[in-house]
Amino acid sequence: MTKRRPRKPETNEALPTSPWSRLSPKWQHAICLFFLFLLPFFQYPDVLLGDKRFVAHDIIQWRASAESLIDHKETHGENALWASNMFSGMPSFIVSNTRVVPHLERLYYT
């Protein structure tokens, strides 16, 4: 067997360097962050600089599903425990969560 000669390392001296690669990593990150912060102003100028807002679909959907519970509270003055307009009936704490547990004071004071 013949002995192989070790390969000479290739140098990249012949390749031209780009202006981006000549920048330090700190400046590369700063430029990227600048464009990332600038991008929303081009995508959503009416929202960021104007008086428009995004339509919150989840809020609209919640209001529609909790409408019967809100009407019941306004009419009768008490929280309904069952929402009849959701999937043929659903417990009201799933649709419209109140901050207090209904009827907890009865357990506490008895």
Side-chain angles (χ1 to χ4, degrees):
M1 285 177 74
T2 60
K3 200 173 192 182
R4 289 188 181 178
R5 292 183 185 171
R7 271 178 109 174
K8 292 183 181 178
E10 294 180 14
T11 59
N12 291 334
E13 293 175 10
L15 296 175
T17 57
S18 68
W20 182 257
S21 63
R22 281 187 252 147
L23 290 174
S24 69
K26 184 190 301 185
W27 279 105
Q28 289 177 354
H29 288 98
I31 292 170
C32 289
L33 284 174
F34 173 74
F35 282 114
L36 283 176
F37 284 121
L38 192 64
L39 186 64
F41 287 101
F42 289 110
Q43 288 183 329
Y44 312 110
D46 294 335
V47 176
L48 294 173
L49 304 174
D51 293 336
K52 295 187 178 182
R53 294 188 309 167
F54 286 116
V55 176
H57 177 70
D58 55 343
I59 302 295
I60 294 170
Q61 187 176 2
W62 169 83
R63 177 68 185 187
S65 59
E67 190 68 35
S68 67
L69 300 173
I70 295 169
D71 290 343
H72 185 271
K73 181 161 177 104
E74 289 175 356
T75 306
H76 300 289
E78 61 182 16
N79 289 331
L81 300 177
W82 193 260
S84 60
N85 64 338
M86 291 292 298
F87 306 112
S88 299
M90 183 179 282
S92 66
F93 68 88
I94 294 174
V95 177
S96 176
N97 193 5
T98 58
R99 294 183 187 260
V100 296
V101 178
H103 310 297
L104 184 64
E105 65 275 356
R106 291 184 189 169
L107 296 174
Y108 182 71
Y109 292 117
T110 56

